[in-house]
Amino acid sequence: MAGVAIIGLQWGDEGKGKITDFFSSSFDCVVRYQGGDNAGHTVVIGNKKYKFHLIPSGVLQNKKVVIGNGVVVNPRVLVEEIEMLKGNGIEPDLMVSDRANIIMPYHIMLDGLEEELLAEKKIGTTKRGIGPCYSDKIARHGIRMGDLINDFDKKLKRILKIKEKLFDAYGIKIDAEKLIEDYLKYAKKLEKYIGDTIYYLNSIIDDKNVLFEGAQGFLLDIDYGTYPYTTSSNPCVGGICTGAGISPKKIEKIIGVVKAYTTRVGKGPMPTEEKGQIGEYLAEKGKEFGTTTGRKRRCGWIDLVALKYACMVNGVDEIAITKLDVLDGLEEIKVCIGYEYDGKELKKFPSSIEILEQCKPIYETFKGWEKTRNKKNYEDLPVNAKRYLDYISNELKIPICIISTGERREDTIQL
Ligand code: GDP
Ligand code: IMO
Ligand code: MG
């Protein structure tokens, strides 16, 4: 009877979808609490690959799935995802918060236009309208899922009065009638799923097992990440309280998902990025192409400075290490243990991206190993792989609970 959190500790794409699916078998309910369809969570079962942008990955284990109030929902994407599941014979037992803000077509347009204006300083967003939608939420110009089924047209027109001033400046034209027509069609399809998830989650959390599936990653957090090269929500553990309406006292365990190396998609500093051969090797072997946008992910070594920071703020209890198999066959493997900045060693992750950009990683080098791919028992791992994992766990002072050695559900070692 517990709330358990699964949080990405790097720049997203750590394998949260796979880990969530794996754990979901022993949970009753799986909840998304922040982000939107900028997320792309992959679950591989047998030969079938599922990609989720909004619906929690626990849906494949036939669990109750909840989209919390902290998520921004593109109703079109949600309808598509429900239909994709139905097409695969899965009827999702889904509840969507009536308080979740809705992504509008103009949020997506603004996302693109703002990026264009930033030119070479652009963030490299997923262009899903995430930032503009959260901006409207905070400005109190948002429209929520509850509004979709309650006077949507009146509420939209009221908001458009303010927004149209901005649209004029950007040269955006919105066909309000068409927007209303489209969104009311989605409303019809989604109505039965919309409800008060806050009362629902609080009614079950003492008696049932609830899993909270983070999206993005800690280093993309709007408060803790490499601002402004971040997303616009709080993927950190605190996001669960505000994004699902759950007291911190109800979160009993926090599992951090860590890729055995580092990737980042989009712009912004990444001290351990390998721009040469190693980076290419990791990208190719790890199939590091974005689940949502198909963009190539930047790759490099694991970064313990960043991970210690992530573990500290989130109070991580256990770590799930993913994609260990991608490092198979390398002669040596590096671990960043500190940064060199201005002739001194930095042990803290700096708040300034200008400083972070100038940080040079200080590495500890490990001998590689032959094969971990598809291994299912810890005993079968090569000794050098065990050394690598032990070192990371000892440095972070956190036990490893899962080692993932392949994309399929069964390629998982539980410790
Ligand atoms: P998420 O956003 O954190 O859920 O991660 P993504 O799904 O965007 O990206 C992770 C990718 O790595 C997906 O294609 C997964 O199928 C794949 N993956 C997950 N775990 C492993 C693993 O242990 N080994 C390998 N080779 N691939 C994995
Ligand atoms: P999952 O849940 C990796 C990145 C974008 C960009 C920045 C801001 O699959 O791990 P946004 O569209 O959110 O305004 O983009 O954040 N980003 C992600 N990177 N995985 C994700 O989600 C991401 N969601 C957003 O690439 O750099
Ligand atoms: Mg992803």
Side-chain angles (χ1 to χ4, degrees), residues 43-91:
V43 182
V44 181
I45 294 163
N47 294 325
K48 180 111 187 112
K49 191 184 259 191
Y50 295 89
K51 293 177 180 186
F52 296 108
H53 301 291
L54 282 168
I55 296 186
S57 306
V59 73
L60 295 179
Q61 304 262 22
N62 291 316
K63 303 301 168 157
K64 175 94 184 178
V65 284
V66 171
I67 295 178
N69 54 280
V71 176
V72 286
V73 178
N74 181 328
R76 179 185 57 75
V77 175
L78 184 55
V79 166
E80 278 171 14
E81 217 156 84
I82 292 168
E83 279 165 8
M84 178 276 285
L85 283 166
K86 286 184 178 170
N88 284 288
I90 300 159
E91 188 71 45

Side-chain angles (χ1 to χ4, degrees), residues 13 40-41 291 297:
D13 303 324
H41 295 183
T291 311
R297 297 172 184 150

Side-chain angles (χ1 to χ4, degrees), residues 13-18 40-42 44 291 297 322-326 373 404-407:
D13 303 324
E14 297 89 351
K16 298 173 294 292
K18 177 191 161 159
H41 295 183
T42 316
V44 181
T291 311
R297 297 172 184 150
T322 60
K323 304 191 90 159
L324 186 64
D325 55 295
V326 175
R373 180 137 181 98
S404 174
T405 59
E407 46 277 81

Side-chain angles (χ1 to χ4, degrees), residues 11-16 32 34 36-41 52 111 123-132 214-217 220 228-233 264-268 291-293 295 297:
W11 278 288
D13 303 324
E14 297 89 351
K16 298 173 294 292
R32 276 278 308 270
Q34 48 67 234
D37 64 303
N38 50 347
H41 295 183
F52 296 108
D111 196 347
I123 295 161
T125 73
T126 59
K127 298 202 180 143
R128 297 299 190 266
I130 304 297
Q216 288 75 58
L220 288 170
Y229 297 94
T230 58
T231 190
S232 298
S233 69
R264 173 163 207 175
V265 56
K267 304 266 186 180
T291 311
T292 300
T293 56
R295 288 177 294 172
R297 297 172 184 150

Side-chain angles (χ1 to χ4, degrees), residues 218-219 271-272 302-311 335-340 345-350 356 359-362 395-396:
F218 180 69
L219 300 174
T272 63
I302 201 164
D303 182 344
L304 290 183
V305 181
L307 285 174
K308 282 179 184 172
Y309 168 53
C311 290
V335 174
C336 170
I337 53 165
Y339 299 146
E340 191 198 307
E345 184 175 345
L346 274 191
K347 290 275 188 190
K348 289 183 185 162
F349 193 81
L356 191 61
C359 283
K360 297 241 168 349
I362 301 168
E395 281 293 306
L396 298 177

